[in-house]
Amino acid sequence: DVKVTQSSRYLVKRTGEKVFLECVQDMDHENMFWYRQDPGLGLRLIYFSYDVKMKEKGDIPEGYSVSREKKERFSLILESASTNQTSMYLCASSFGGIDEQFFGPGTRLTVL
Amino acid sequence: SQQGEEDPQALSIQEGENATMNCSYKTSINNLQWYRQNSGRGLVHLILIRSNEREKHSGRLRVTLDTSKKSSSLLITASRAADTASYFCATDANNAGNMLTFGGGTRLMVKP
């Protein structure tokens, strides 16, 4: 079974802090994705990566950056957290970009 | 803007009844997928239907796709309380590159 894990289930940070969210998948998937999910807005794609060191902007990349140094690991970075980045963050991976995606359990981030 | 839009936004039924959720999209697609999300958790893939398919079954799930109307429906037959969750459709618009776009979801409540 594909397993996608995220570093934290719940995270509380202060405005201006640098935040790292990590995602690891164990199925040698090429593609990895970061979404944020907010009530009434569904899932919105922040960034995705189709290979090591490769990244593409999604719909809402502003305020975020990503890193993919190893195939199995995709990190989302909030350089200076703001309260409007309080959200549920979901990581996913897939073999092909438009194939079935496997999701991690999510990280609920609160920025105070 | 959302490529896939689910309808209704919320649905409440009694155990044993059938639940039907609809998804509309705007541009041509290669495939359409349905996902389920239990409260506070990640999404789980349910079924993928390709643009050249009209209907697909998986257990108590039945998905239809009408590309002429740019719409899909997910039918859950003989619903159970454990089916209570949010259901999302996701599409790979032909011009969207290597990624999926998710709708806002339908919240299904199945009362015992």
Side-chain angles (χ1 to χ4, degrees):
Chain A
D1 280 351
V2 175
K3 193 167 184 181
V4 180
T5 58
Q6 294 183 228
S7 49
S8 305
R9 290 283 285 124
Y10 300 94
L11 207 53
V12 179
K13 294 292 182 181
R14 296 207 175 273
T15 300
E17 281 193 80
K18 191 168 186 176
V19 182
F20 292 88
L21 302 182
E22 295 221 309
C23 175
V24 178
Q25 51 96 2
D26 66 359
M27 281 300 290
D28 203 35
H29 282 168
E30 304 290 334
N31 297 273
M32 297 188 74
F33 307 84
W34 275 107
Y35 297 91
R36 66 176 281 175
Q37 183 177 27
D38 301 288
L41 296 176
L43 273 74
R44 293 180 291 167
L45 181 65
I46 305 171
Y47 269 98
F48 71 98
S49 168
Y50 53 89
D51 201 353
V52 175
K53 297 191 186 296
M54 305 304 291
K55 61 184 179 183
E56 292 284 345
K57 292 180 180 179
D59 297 321
I60 51 165
E62 296 78 20
Y64 303 93
S65 63
V66 290
S67 172
R68 190 156 181 214
E69 296 296 318
K70 294 184 177 181
K71 192 174 186 180
E72 67 271 17
R73 191 179 297 268
F74 192 34
S75 301
L76 180 70
I77 303 151
L78 288 66
E79 293 288 343
S80 179
S82 63
T83 54
N84 63 12
Q85 292 178 311
T86 290
S87 186
M88 169 72 98
Y89 289 88
L90 293 164
C91 173
S93 72
S94 70
F95 182 68
I98 59 173
D99 291 340
E100 169 187 357
Q101 292 188 8
F102 295 83
F103 282 81
T107 295
R108 189 167 294 281
L109 172 67
T110 301
V111 182
L112 301 175
Chain B
S1 63
Q2 298 279 0
Q3 162 72 335
E5 295 289 344
E6 288 89 343
D7 168 58
Q9 288 188 322
L11 182 61
S12 181
I13 60 174
Q14 294 293 136
E15 214 167 21
E17 294 180 341
N18 295 340
T20 299
M21 289 158 269
N22 302 297
C23 170
S24 60
Y25 57 91
K26 297 174 184 170
T27 63
S28 297
I29 60 171
N30 295 303
N31 70 54
L32 184 145
Q33 304 178 34
W34 285 92
Y35 288 80
R36 166 196 167 123
Q37 183 182 33
N38 288 351
S39 180
R41 307 297 296 181
L43 278 70
V44 175
H45 183 263
L46 293 176
I47 200 162
L48 180 153
I49 186 164
R50 302 194 186 282
S51 59
N52 61 354
E53 297 176 308
R54 291 297 166 259
E55 188 169 311
K56 207 161 182 181
H57 296 256
S58 177
R60 293 184 296 111
L61 305 181
R62 173 179 163 239
V63 168
T64 61
L65 179 64
D66 187 334
T67 53
S68 67
K69 294 181 179 178
K70 292 187 170 58
S71 68
S72 173
S73 67
L74 169 67
L75 168 68
I76 304 174
T77 59
S79 63
R80 305 166 181 167
D83 294 328
T84 294
S86 291
Y87 293 82
F88 295 86
C89 69
T91 57
D92 63 331
N94 281 342
N95 62 353
N98 205 32
M99 58 186 181
L100 300 178
T101 303
F102 287 80
T106 292
R107 293 188 311 279
L108 173 66
M109 175 173 287
V110 182
K111 299 175 185 175

